[in-house]
Amino acid sequence: MNYKVIDMDTYYRKGVYRHFTEDCKCSTSMTARIDVTELVNESKKKGTKFYLNFLYILSKVLNSRDDYKMSYFWQTNELVCYDVIHPTQYIFHEDTETCTPVYTTYCEDYDTFYKNAVEDIERAKQTRDYGLDAANHPNWFDASYISWISYDSLNIELPDGYLYYLPIINWGKYRMEQGRYVMPVSVRLNHAIADGYLVANVFRLLEKEIKQFCE
C-alpha cells in the first residue's frame, strides 16, 4: 500500500476542502442510469460474467483519477492519495440471507483481474462469516451489486463528521428501455474531495470505458 500526502498549500481544491471539513461536513451522492447494452452483449458473446466485467471497468475508472483515491488519516490530520484502490465486492448467501465481503485486488490486466475475482468469490462462498477487515484493507472501496431490483435512487448515509473519502458505489439490475439495456448506478463521495462534476464524471467515464472495453 503506497500513498502520497497531499500538500494542502498547493492542493487545487484547498478552499472547498476547508469549507466541507470545517463549516459543512457532508457527502454528495448521485444515481443515474448508464447504457450497458454493449457490455451485456459482449459478456454473452465471450461467455464471461457481466457483473465481473463491470467491476473491472468500475475499478479502472476509479483508479484513473487521484480525486477518487483519497483518504483521511485522522491520527495525523493528513489528506492522502493512494497509488491504487481495490474493490470490496460482496457475495450473498441465499441460505442465510447474509453477505460476505470479498477483497479483490485490482489489476489493470483484465485477464488477471477476472481470474482472481472468480477465485475470490469461490472462496467467499465457502464461509458464512461477515469477515469485514477494513483495518487491513485501508485502500479498498465499496462496490456493492443490488441484484434484486432496478432502482431509481439510493442514498448511503454516513455521519457528517466522519471524513470517509473512498468511493461507495452501488448498482442494480439492468433493464430494457427503448431497445437498450440501462443500469442504475449510485456514486457516493465526500463533498470535501468531490463536487457534482467529479461525481457525474464517474458515469461519463464508465460509459467511455465500456465502449473501449467492447471494441
Side-chain angles (χ1 to χ4, degrees):
M1 178 192 67
N2 296 314
Y3 61 87
K4 62 182 178 183
V5 178
I6 301 299
D7 182 348
M8 296 309 299
D9 291 330
T10 59
Y11 180 39
Y12 86 107
R13 289 178 54 85
K14 65 180 181 180
V16 178
Y17 184 83
R18 187 212 62 79
H19 175 62
F20 286 108
T21 56
E22 298 178 15
D23 305 328
C24 181
K25 297 178 180 179
C26 63
S27 61
T28 178
S29 62
M30 187 183 300
T31 297
R33 290 189 293 275
I34 64 172
D35 191 325
V36 294
T37 306
E38 280 74 22
L39 187 59
V40 171
N41 294 336
E42 182 76 4
S43 301
K44 290 178 179 178
K45 184 174 74 172
K46 292 188 174 179
T48 55
K49 295 182 181 297
F50 170 87
Y51 162 78
L52 290 182
N53 290 337
F54 180 74
L55 186 67
Y56 168 77
I57 291 169
L58 173 65
S59 300
K60 186 176 181 180
V61 164
L62 295 180
N63 275 286
S64 69
R65 182 164 177 147
D66 284 353
D67 296 285
Y68 304 135
K69 299 185 289 182
M70 297 292 196
S71 187
Y72 174 65
F73 289 0
W74 62 267
Q75 300 92 334
T76 55
N77 190 33
E78 290 177 319
L79 174 66
V80 305
C81 177
Y82 292 113
D83 288 352
V84 62
I85 57 175
H86 313 282
T88 305
Q89 53 172 314
Y90 294 84
I91 293 303
F92 181 74
H93 306 293
E94 295 284 352
D95 56 340
T96 59
E97 296 184 347
T98 59
C99 291
T100 295
V102 182
Y103 294 104
T104 295
T105 300
Y106 171 65
C107 177
E108 190 171 358
D109 180 75
Y110 165 76
D111 292 332
T112 300
F113 176 87
Y114 191 95
K115 175 178 177 294
N116 291 341
V118 169
E119 292 174 352
D120 293 337
I121 289 171
E122 289 306 312
R123 280 193 296 271
K125 288 180 179 179
Q126 306 309 311
T127 181
R128 296 297 180 270
D129 295 337
Y130 184 49
L132 187 67
D133 186 22
N136 291 312
H137 299 84
N139 55 324
W140 263 254
F141 70 91
D142 196 271
S144 183
Y145 173 38
I146 302 173
S147 61
W148 306 277
I149 190 171
S150 182
Y151 60 85
D152 292 316
S153 66
L154 182 147
N155 189 39
I156 300 294
E157 295 286 349
L158 290 178
D160 286 345
Y162 184 40
L163 301 181
Y164 181 82
Y165 293 161
L166 288 170
I168 298 177
I169 312 295
N170 298 86
W171 65 97
K173 290 174 61 177
Y174 57 77
R175 66 189 187 222
M176 181 69 72
E177 289 187 3
Q178 298 180 343
R180 305 291 292 180
Y181 289 115
V182 296
M183 185 175 74
V185 179
S186 301
V187 177
R188 184 270 180 196
L189 288 164
N190 192 289
H191 212 337
I193 52 90
D195 52 23
Y197 169 79
L198 288 170
V199 176
N201 195 48
V202 174
F203 301 99
R204 297 165 64 198
L205 290 173
L206 282 171
E207 292 196 326
K208 176 183 176 182
E209 287 295 334
I210 286 172
K211 182 178 180 180
Q212 292 180 355
F213 181 84
C214 297
E215 286 180 346

